[in-house]
Amino acid sequence: MAETLYFQPEALTDYATAMFLSAGMSREDAALIAGDLVKANLRGVDSHGVSRIPMYLERLRRGLVNPRPEVKVTKVAGAVAAVDGDNGMGFIPSHIAMNAACDIAGEMGIGLAGVHRSTHFGMGACYALRAIERGYISLIFTNSSPAIAMWGGRTSFLGASPIAAGIPGGKHPPYVMDMAMTVIARGKIRLAAMKGDAIPEGLALDVDGNPTTDAAKAFEGVCLPFGGVKGSVLGTLMDLLSGVLTGANFGGDVKSLYFDHSEPQNVGHLFFAIRPDLFLSMDDFGARMDEFYARIKALPRAAGVDEIMLPGEPEQRREDQRRRDGIPVTANVIADLTAEGKAAGVTFPAGKAA
């Protein structure tokens, strides 16, 4: 088998939808999750793409994730909704919560939705992009299973707990930010471990607290926060607001997506939506975003830099390219997905060599 094959996004989406249907999910929910996973691949965030399907299916098979959750949305204050995810796949209550926050913002100017009893929600940028589609500014917080230490500690306590945000653009691309509190996303270390690749120094410690470039040892050990103490402080904020505030697990209690099959995760998320026309008209806002974009493009560039881009712009360009040329999937991931499909009676699609 070739090291890497290329797949059309529609083929991967159809496969992923069929796999989640085989696990007992509704067609609507299966298609939603499949679309988000393939969106991650399209944007180059392969650590949060279709490679996660076997892991998600395992948690569904073990009864740790409810395949047909009854997600409940309760208005708890004028601009605030509480969302009970009913231990469903995190994508489902998260999209419901982001939409609820946008609905509230349409009326109140700003909306907030907090989620508990959820699970891993995939690529955070999916929710920022959903809010942008609806014309809203967004902030997305989540906590997650222990991955990094509190500053000064040597054992994992805080999650990688990414933060995402989106701001609609004018005529130019929107601002889309999605980043974990680790130096690199833990899922990227997982992918490196799956491929047997080494990782650069300075990303992680092994289980004994020693620096390592072995991705497998790093994945089982402790990721390092970006920016040292600053990353640890931001990771603490994510856990306090996403976990403590919402009623979800917190302080090291979120169960590992990869290693702990003892009980549901109870992840917490927080979604903010803000109307862009609170202080000026939408036309003025769009014009100011265009001016900001133009000023970025006109900035003097550092040595070796061809272009300065707005956050989210590189991912959009990668998506455009992958829609044309196909999504690359490595041989080990192809083998895993083919085996999962065979067990479920679903054929994994054929790819093409580069």
Side-chain angles (χ1 to χ4, degrees):
M1 182 182 292
E3 181 65 25
T4 298
L5 295 178
Y6 292 78
F7 296 81
Q8 289 303 304
E10 296 80 8
L12 290 178
T13 302
D14 288 346
Y15 164 82
T17 300
M19 291 304 296
F20 289 119
L21 282 171
S22 75
M25 300 188 71
S26 72
R27 179 165 293 278
E28 181 182 5
D29 288 347
L32 175 73
I33 297 167
D36 279 1
L37 293 177
V38 173
K39 186 72 167 179
N41 284 119
L42 283 168
R43 291 176 69 83
V45 189
D46 296 310
S47 58
H48 287 59
V50 295
S51 66
R52 288 181 174 254
I53 290 174
M55 176 185 59
Y56 288 142
L57 291 174
E58 178 64 16
R59 296 189 72 83
L60 283 161
R61 283 192 292 262
R62 289 175 177 265
L64 298 170
V65 178
N66 183 354
R68 290 181 177 263
E70 296 182 7
V71 179
K72 296 181 177 63
V73 181
T74 305
K75 196 82 169 288
V76 294
V80 186
V83 179
D84 182 340
D86 195 25
N87 290 324
M89 291 282 286
F91 304 78
I92 301 165
S94 293
H95 276 290
I96 290 172
M98 188 75 262
N99 280 324
C102 290
D103 290 343
I104 295 169
E107 177 187 356
M108 306 292 291
I110 186 168
L112 172 62
V115 183
H116 69 288
R117 292 216 301 157
S118 184
T119 62
H120 187 267
F121 74 176
M123 180 179 71
C126 285
Y127 312 107
L129 291 167
R130 173 62 62 88
I132 287 170
E133 289 173 3
R134 295 194 55 182
Y136 292 93
I137 297 168
S138 63
L139 288 169
I140 297 104
F141 301 166
T142 187
N143 66 358
S144 56
S145 59
I148 62 177
M150 284 291 292
W151 189 250
R154 66 179 181 87
T155 58
S156 59
F157 178 75
L158 301 169
S161 302
I163 179 174
I167 303 175
K171 298 176 182 178
H172 297 294
Y175 171 98
V176 182
M177 180 266 284
D178 183 5
M179 64 181 193
M181 298 301 114
T182 50
V183 180
I184 66 168
R186 193 161 183 244
K188 293 181 180 179
I189 295 178
R190 171 177 171 266
L191 274 188
M194 290 172 67
K195 293 190 290 185
D197 293 343
I199 59 173
E201 294 180 357
L203 301 187
L205 309 176
D206 63 20
V207 292
D208 297 317
N210 300 310
T212 183
T213 59
D214 184 316
K217 291 181 179 179
F219 187 63
E220 294 176 354
V222 178
C223 296
L224 295 176
F226 81 91
V229 66
K230 294 180 180 180
S232 177
V233 169
L234 281 173
T236 304
L237 179 65
M238 294 300 102
D239 203 15
L240 291 173
L241 292 181
S242 303
V244 173
L245 177 65
T246 64
N249 279 347
F250 66 93
D253 283 344
V254 175
K255 303 305 177 185
S256 172
L257 185 67
Y258 314 100
F259 304 121
D260 192 330
H261 297 125
S262 62
E263 59 185 81
Q265 286 189 291
N266 191 11
V267 179
H269 322 297
L270 206 60
F271 297 86
F272 295 84
I274 306 167
R275 257 181 31 211
D277 62 347
L278 293 179
F279 308 110
L280 65 172
S281 72
M282 282 299 298
D283 287 344
D284 285 345
F285 178 82
R288 290 165 70 87
M289 288 296 293
D290 286 338
E291 177 61 24
F292 188 88
Y293 185 85
R295 291 181 186 181
I296 286 176
K297 295 302 180 181
L299 288 171
R301 298 187 298 274
V305 175
D306 295 326
E307 182 183 7
I308 299 172
M309 289 188 273
L310 193 71
E313 195 173 4
E315 291 83 356
Q316 183 57 57
R317 292 186 184 184
R318 190 173 294 113
E319 178 173 347
D320 294 341
Q321 179 262 319
R322 288 188 172 189
R323 285 193 183 278
R324 292 191 306 267
D325 302 336
I327 294 170
V329 182
T330 57
N332 59 307
V333 174
I334 292 171
D336 288 346
L337 297 178
T338 300
E340 287 285 349
K342 185 176 181 180
V346 176
T347 301
F348 186 71
K352 294 182 179 180

